[in-house]
Amino acid sequence: MEPIDAITQALQRMLNVKFDIEDIHDDYLDEEKKLFTKMVNHLEKLTEHEHKIFEAYKIDLSTITDPYWDMIEECLGFSLSTEVQELVWWYIHDRKNAAGEIVAWEDEDGTEYKFSTPADLYEYILHKFENIG
């Protein structure tokens, strides 16, 4: 018998009620992955649009956008660890070289990883850091 089953049965006997305990961990991770992927996609698009405007019209939007980028960075600081934040910003700004090719992320052990999508990045973060925040 699983420990959770023993606890459930003991509580049911003590409280004289019937209840089920559901493991929502997988559902939670699926939702977290969707939100993380959506967030990173939005950040990447914002960066791309700002860069395209500069390339096409030589308009530097940084005086307008920098306060927003600062706020986004501060908001991420509330929910992500420093290591994860650095990895997200690397993904947004440095994952592709000038030719648009994906370059590898090198961890502290010298192992290289290529992330094609934010979902790949999410899976790496879960593996490496055990959680996102």
Side-chain angles (χ1 to χ4, degrees):
M1 177 182 296
E2 294 277 332
I4 191 71
D5 294 330
I7 293 169
T8 302
Q9 289 177 1
L11 286 172
Q12 287 177 3
R13 281 193 307 272
M14 289 182 346
L15 300 173
N16 198 25
V17 293
K18 178 90 173 141
F19 60 90
D20 292 319
I21 297 177
E22 293 183 39
D23 183 6
I24 61 168
H25 188 259
D26 289 340
D27 291 339
Y28 175 79
L29 288 178
D30 287 343
E31 283 303 310
E32 188 177 73
K33 183 176 184 177
K34 286 177 191 174
L35 288 171
F36 179 84
T37 300
K38 185 177 180 180
M39 174 195 70
V40 172
N41 279 329
H42 284 308
L43 292 173
E44 195 169 23
K45 285 178 187 172
L46 287 169
T47 302
E48 288 171 3
H49 291 314
E50 192 172 334
H51 183 72
K52 284 179 184 177
I53 290 170
F54 181 77
E55 290 298 315
Y57 306 105
K58 302 299 182 218
I59 298 173
D60 181 4
L61 297 175
S62 64
T63 57
I64 297 167
T65 59
D66 279 354
Y68 295 106
W69 283 112
D70 291 343
M71 181 58 73
I72 290 168
E73 193 169 338
E74 290 173 13
C75 288
L76 290 180
F78 283 116
S79 59
L80 304 176
S81 68
T82 303
E83 295 89 356
V84 173
Q85 287 179 66
E86 289 172 2
L87 189 51
V88 168
W89 291 121
W90 170 86
Y91 183 94
I92 301 299
H93 297 292
D94 300 317
R95 179 177 66 101
K96 294 181 181 176
N97 62 20
E101 301 165 328
I102 295 174
V103 297
W105 164 264
E106 187 175 323
D107 69 8
E108 66 278 354
D109 300 326
T111 306
E112 293 186 348
Y113 301 89
K114 284 193 175 183
F115 308 113
S116 298
T117 66
D120 294 341
L121 178 63
Y122 177 87
E123 293 298 332
Y124 171 79
I125 291 168
L126 276 186
H127 168 76
K128 185 72 174 178
F129 300 103
E130 297 183 13
N131 61 45
I132 295 296

mmCIF file of all heavy atoms in Angstrom, residues 5 11 19 34-35 49 59 62 64 66-69 71 78-79 82 98 100-101 105 113 122 125 130 133:
data_model
loop_
_atom_site.group_PDB
_atom_site.id
_atom_site.type_symbol
_atom_site.label_atom_id
_atom_site.label_comp_id
_atom_site.label_asym_id
_atom_site.label_seq_id
_atom_site.Cartn_x
_atom_site.Cartn_y
_atom_site.Cartn_z
ATOM 1 N N ASP A 5 -2.109 6.260 0.349
ATOM 2 C CA ASP A 5 -3.327 5.474 0.531
ATOM 3 C C ASP A 5 -3.577 5.185 2.013
ATOM 4 O O ASP A 5 -4.721 5.251 2.482
ATOM 5 C CB ASP A 5 -3.248 4.164 -0.257
ATOM 6 C CG ASP A 5 -3.226 4.386 -1.761
ATOM 7 O OD1 ASP A 5 -3.811 5.395 -2.222
ATOM 8 O OD2 ASP A 5 -2.609 3.564 -2.462
ATOM 9 N N LEU A 11 -7.411 8.942 7.604
ATOM 10 C CA LEU A 11 -8.210 10.160 7.727
ATOM 11 C C LEU A 11 -9.699 9.879 7.528
ATOM 12 O O LEU A 11 -10.540 10.461 8.222
ATOM 13 C CB LEU A 11 -7.732 11.207 6.712
ATOM 14 C CG LEU A 11 -6.406 11.887 7.032
ATOM 15 C CD1 LEU A 11 -5.946 12.746 5.866
ATOM 16 C CD2 LEU A 11 -6.544 12.737 8.294
ATOM 17 N N PHE A 19 -13.314 10.606 0.812
ATOM 18 C CA PHE A 19 -12.777 11.586 -0.133
ATOM 19 C C PHE A 19 -11.680 10.941 -0.960
ATOM 20 O O PHE A 19 -11.136 9.906 -0.605
ATOM 21 C CB PHE A 19 -12.283 12.848 0.575
ATOM 22 C CG PHE A 19 -11.187 12.617 1.575
ATOM 23 C CD1 PHE A 19 -9.858 12.673 1.206
ATOM 24 C CD2 PHE A 19 -11.491 12.366 2.914
ATOM 25 C CE1 PHE A 19 -8.857 12.464 2.137
ATOM 26 C CE2 PHE A 19 -10.496 12.168 3.846
ATOM 27 C CZ PHE A 19 -9.169 12.209 3.466
ATOM 28 N N LYS A 34 2.633 25.379 -20.768
ATOM 29 C CA LYS A 34 1.910 26.217 -21.737
ATOM 30 C C LYS A 34 2.145 27.698 -21.454
ATOM 31 O O LYS A 34 2.402 28.488 -22.360
ATOM 32 C CB LYS A 34 0.412 25.915 -21.701
ATOM 33 C CG LYS A 34 0.027 24.612 -22.326
ATOM 34 C CD LYS A 34 -1.473 24.388 -22.173
ATOM 35 C CE LYS A 34 -1.863 22.976 -22.547
ATOM 36 N NZ LYS A 34 -3.281 22.714 -22.274
ATOM 37 N N LEU A 35 2.034 28.074 -20.182
ATOM 38 C CA LEU A 35 2.226 29.481 -19.812
ATOM 39 C C LEU A 35 3.661 29.936 -20.059
ATOM 40 O O LEU A 35 3.903 31.034 -20.562
ATOM 41 C CB LEU A 35 1.848 29.699 -18.346
ATOM 42 C CG LEU A 35 0.362 29.650 -18.040
ATOM 43 C CD1 LEU A 35 0.125 29.666 -16.535
ATOM 44 C CD2 LEU A 35 -0.369 30.796 -18.700
ATOM 45 N N HIS A 49 10.251 42.312 -33.157
ATOM 46 C CA HIS A 49 9.573 43.488 -33.712
ATOM 47 C C HIS A 49 10.388 44.762 -33.484
ATOM 48 O O HIS A 49 10.506 45.596 -34.393
ATOM 49 C CB HIS A 49 8.174 43.645 -33.110
ATOM 50 C CG HIS A 49 7.207 42.592 -33.536
ATOM 51 N ND1 HIS A 49 7.050 42.176 -34.832
ATOM 52 C CD2 HIS A 49 6.327 41.860 -32.820
ATOM 53 C CE1 HIS A 49 6.135 41.237 -34.910
ATOM 54 N NE2 HIS A 49 5.682 41.014 -33.685
ATOM 55 N N ILE A 59 14.789 53.478 -36.529
ATOM 56 C CA ILE A 59 14.159 54.112 -35.375
ATOM 57 C C ILE A 59 14.528 53.300 -34.142
ATOM 58 O O ILE A 59 14.215 52.111 -34.047
ATOM 59 C CB ILE A 59 12.627 54.174 -35.525
ATOM 60 C CG1 ILE A 59 12.254 55.022 -36.738
ATOM 61 C CG2 ILE A 59 11.986 54.719 -34.249
ATOM 62 C CD1 ILE A 59 10.770 55.001 -37.067
ATOM 63 N N SER A 62 14.343 52.290 -27.957
ATOM 64 C CA SER A 62 14.782 51.958 -26.599
ATOM 65 C C SER A 62 14.342 52.977 -25.551
ATOM 66 O O SER A 62 14.065 52.594 -24.410
ATOM 67 C CB SER A 62 16.296 51.762 -26.553
ATOM 68 O OG SER A 62 16.966 52.956 -26.859
ATOM 69 N N ILE A 64 11.596 54.376 -25.402
ATOM 70 C CA ILE A 64 10.206 54.048 -25.096
ATOM 71 C C ILE A 64 10.107 52.662 -24.450
ATOM 72 O O ILE A 64 9.387 52.468 -23.470
ATOM 73 C CB ILE A 64 9.350 54.082 -26.386
ATOM 74 C CG1 ILE A 64 9.348 55.500 -26.968
ATOM 75 C CG2 ILE A 64 7.927 53.594 -26.117
ATOM 76 C CD1 ILE A 64 8.805 55.588 -28.368
ATOM 77 N N ASP A 66 12.593 50.571 -23.108
ATOM 78 C CA ASP A 66 13.445 50.156 -21.992
ATOM 79 C C ASP A 66 12.716 50.095 -20.650
ATOM 80 O O ASP A 66 12.894 49.125 -19.902
ATOM 81 C CB ASP A 66 14.694 51.035 -21.881
ATOM 82 C CG ASP A 66 15.781 50.622 -22.857
ATOM 83 O OD1 ASP A 66 15.611 49.587 -23.545
ATOM 84 O OD2 ASP A 66 16.807 51.324 -22.924
ATOM 85 N N PRO A 67 11.883 51.081 -20.318
ATOM 86 C CA PRO A 67 11.154 50.949 -19.048
ATOM 87 C C PRO A 67 10.250 49.711 -19.007
ATOM 88 O O PRO A 67 10.104 49.074 -17.963
ATOM 89 C CB PRO A 67 10.321 52.236 -18.974
ATOM 90 C CG PRO A 67 11.051 53.205 -19.836
ATOM 91 C CD PRO A 67 11.663 52.388 -20.932
ATOM 92 N N TYR A 68 9.672 49.362 -20.142
ATOM 93 C CA TYR A 68 8.833 48.155 -20.198
ATOM 94 C C TYR A 68 9.680 46.896 -20.037
ATOM 95 O O TYR A 68 9.288 45.968 -19.332
ATOM 96 C CB TYR A 68 8.041 48.108 -21.505
ATOM 97 C CG TYR A 68 7.037 49.225 -21.613
ATOM 98 C CD1 TYR A 68 7.263 50.302 -22.462
ATOM 99 C CD2 TYR A 68 5.874 49.219 -20.853
ATOM 100 C CE1 TYR A 68 6.350 51.336 -22.561
ATOM 101 C CE2 TYR A 68 4.954 50.247 -20.939
ATOM 102 C CZ TYR A 68 5.198 51.308 -21.798
ATOM 103 O OH TYR A 68 4.298 52.335 -21.882
ATOM 104 N N TRP A 69 10.831 46.885 -20.700
ATOM 105 C CA TRP A 69 11.726 45.731 -20.555
ATOM 106 C C TRP A 69 12.209 45.603 -19.110
ATOM 107 O O TRP A 69 12.312 44.503 -18.583
ATOM 108 C CB TRP A 69 12.916 45.827 -21.510
ATOM 109 C CG TRP A 69 12.547 45.466 -22.916
ATOM 110 C CD1 TRP A 69 12.504 46.300 -24.002
ATOM 111 C CD2 TRP A 69 12.169 44.176 -23.395
ATOM 112 N NE1 TRP A 69 12.110 45.607 -25.107
ATOM 113 C CE2 TRP A 69 11.904 44.302 -24.778
ATOM 114 C CE3 TRP A 69 12.008 42.929 -22.794
ATOM 115 C CZ2 TRP A 69 11.495 43.229 -25.555
ATOM 116 C CZ3 TRP A 69 11.602 41.856 -23.572
ATOM 117 C CH2 TRP A 69 11.349 42.010 -24.934
ATOM 118 N N MET A 71 10.549 46.513 -16.470
ATOM 119 C CA MET A 71 9.422 46.006 -15.704
ATOM 120 C C MET A 71 9.229 44.509 -15.943
ATOM 121 O O MET A 71 8.981 43.750 -14.999
ATOM 122 C CB MET A 71 8.140 46.763 -16.069
ATOM 123 C CG MET A 71 6.936 46.309 -15.293
ATOM 124 S SD MET A 71 7.129 46.448 -13.505
ATOM 125 C CE MET A 71 7.010 48.188 -13.293
ATOM 126 N N PHE A 78 10.281 37.953 -9.810
ATOM 127 C CA PHE A 78 9.382 37.479 -8.763
ATOM 128 C C PHE A 78 9.071 35.998 -8.897
ATOM 129 O O PHE A 78 8.774 35.332 -7.915
ATOM 130 C CB PHE A 78 8.053 38.246 -8.783
ATOM 131 C CG PHE A 78 8.147 39.607 -8.175
ATOM 132 C CD1 PHE A 78 7.942 40.734 -8.942
ATOM 133 C CD2 PHE A 78 8.430 39.760 -6.826
ATOM 134 C CE1 PHE A 78 8.020 41.997 -8.383
ATOM 135 C CE2 PHE A 78 8.511 41.018 -6.250
ATOM 136 C CZ PHE A 78 8.307 42.136 -7.039
ATOM 137 N N SER A 79 9.103 35.502 -10.126
ATOM 138 C CA SER A 79 8.641 34.131 -10.328
ATOM 139 C C SER A 79 9.724 33.146 -10.759
ATOM 140 O O SER A 79 9.510 31.943 -10.675
ATOM 141 C CB SER A 79 7.508 34.107 -11.357
ATOM 142 O OG SER A 79 7.943 34.645 -12.579
ATOM 143 N N THR A 82 17.250 33.202 -10.356
ATOM 144 C CA THR A 82 18.239 33.956 -11.116
ATOM 145 C C THR A 82 18.787 33.141 -12.281
ATOM 146 O O THR A 82 18.916 33.654 -13.402
ATOM 147 C CB THR A 82 19.392 34.407 -10.189
ATOM 148 O OG1 THR A 82 18.846 35.184 -9.118
ATOM 149 C CG2 THR A 82 20.417 35.225 -10.941
ATOM 150 N N ALA A 98 23.777 36.013 -35.913
ATOM 151 C CA ALA A 98 23.374 37.036 -36.878
ATOM 152 C C ALA A 98 22.745 36.427 -38.130
ATOM 153 O O ALA A 98 21.909 37.056 -38.781
ATOM 154 C CB ALA A 98 24.572 37.897 -37.258
ATOM 155 N N GLY A 100 20.798 33.901 -38.056
ATOM 156 C CA GLY A 100 19.542 33.287 -37.666
ATOM 157 C C GLY A 100 19.661 31.819 -37.294
ATOM 158 O O GLY A 100 18.649 31.149 -37.067
ATOM 159 N N GLU A 101 20.870 31.333 -37.192
ATOM 160 C CA GLU A 101 21.086 29.933 -36.823
ATOM 161 C C GLU A 101 21.074 29.783 -35.305
ATOM 162 O O GLU A 101 21.577 30.646 -34.587
ATOM 163 C CB GLU A 101 22.424 29.446 -37.371
ATOM 164 C CG GLU A 101 22.532 29.543 -38.883
ATOM 165 C CD GLU A 101 23.962 29.414 -39.376
ATOM 166 O OE1 GLU A 101 24.890 29.845 -38.659
ATOM 167 O OE2 GLU A 101 24.133 28.895 -40.487
ATOM 168 N N TRP A 105 23.551 26.366 -26.045
ATOM 169 C CA TRP A 105 23.749 26.832 -24.667
ATOM 170 C C TRP A 105 24.749 25.877 -24.036
ATOM 171 O O TRP A 105 24.625 24.669 -24.150
ATOM 172 C CB TRP A 105 22.423 26.789 -23.912
ATOM 173 C CG TRP A 105 22.566 26.873 -22.417
ATOM 174 C CD1 TRP A 105 22.599 25.828 -21.542
ATOM 175 C CD2 TRP A 105 22.708 28.046 -21.627
ATOM 176 N NE1 TRP A 105 22.738 26.286 -20.256
ATOM 177 C CE2 TRP A 105 22.804 27.644 -20.279
ATOM 178 C CE3 TRP A 105 22.757 29.400 -21.926
ATOM 179 C CZ2 TRP A 105 22.944 28.548 -19.240
ATOM 180 C CZ3 TRP A 105 22.892 30.299 -20.890
ATOM 181 C CH2 TRP A 105 22.989 29.884 -19.565
ATOM 182 N N TYR A 113 23.620 22.376 -25.283
ATOM 183 C CA TYR A 113 22.217 22.072 -25.556
ATOM 184 C C TYR A 113 21.705 23.066 -26.589
ATOM 185 O O TYR A 113 21.996 24.253 -26.501
ATOM 186 C CB TYR A 113 21.362 22.211 -24.296
ATOM 187 C CG TYR A 113 21.793 21.322 -23.163
ATOM 188 C CD1 TYR A 113 22.744 21.748 -22.234
ATOM 189 C CD2 TYR A 113 21.245 20.051 -23.013
ATOM 190 C CE1 TYR A 113 23.133 20.919 -21.195
ATOM 191 C CE2 TYR A 113 21.628 19.221 -21.964
ATOM 192 C CZ TYR A 113 22.576 19.666 -21.065
ATOM 193 O OH TYR A 113 22.960 18.861 -20.030
ATOM 194 N N TYR A 122 11.911 24.785 -21.589
ATOM 195 C CA TYR A 122 11.160 24.417 -20.385
ATOM 196 C C TYR A 122 11.578 23.041 -19.878
ATOM 197 O O TYR A 122 11.820 22.860 -18.683
ATOM 198 C CB TYR A 122 9.662 24.450 -20.696
ATOM 199 C CG TYR A 122 8.796 24.007 -19.543
ATOM 200 C CD1 TYR A 122 8.390 24.918 -18.580
ATOM 201 C CD2 TYR A 122 8.391 22.685 -19.411
ATOM 202 C CE1 TYR A 122 7.600 24.519 -17.512
ATOM 203 C CE2 TYR A 122 7.605 22.278 -18.344
ATOM 204 C CZ TYR A 122 7.219 23.199 -17.402
ATOM 205 O OH TYR A 122 6.444 22.799 -16.344
ATOM 206 N N ILE A 125 14.957 23.199 -18.270
ATOM 207 C CA ILE A 125 14.888 23.849 -16.955
ATOM 208 C C ILE A 125 14.337 22.885 -15.909
ATOM 209 O O ILE A 125 14.873 22.791 -14.804
ATOM 210 C CB ILE A 125 14.043 25.141 -17.033
ATOM 211 C CG1 ILE A 125 14.797 26.196 -17.846
ATOM 212 C CG2 ILE A 125 13.715 25.664 -15.644
ATOM 213 C CD1 ILE A 125 13.953 27.396 -18.238
ATOM 214 N N GLU A 130 14.979 21.344 -11.476
ATOM 215 C CA GLU A 130 13.899 20.667 -10.776
ATOM 216 C C GLU A 130 12.603 21.437 -10.739
ATOM 217 O O GLU A 130 11.583 20.912 -10.378
ATOM 218 C CB GLU A 130 14.318 20.254 -9.360
ATOM 219 C CG GLU A 130 15.449 19.252 -9.362
ATOM 220 C CD GLU A 130 15.807 18.794 -7.975
ATOM 221 O OE1 GLU A 130 15.046 19.046 -7.021
ATOM 222 O OE2 GLU A 130 16.867 18.180 -7.830
ATOM 223 N N GLY A 133 10.713 28.060 -11.009
ATOM 224 C CA GLY A 133 11.017 29.184 -10.119
ATOM 225 C C GLY A 133 11.979 28.804 -9.132
ATOM 226 O O GLY A 133 12.831 29.030 -8.540
#
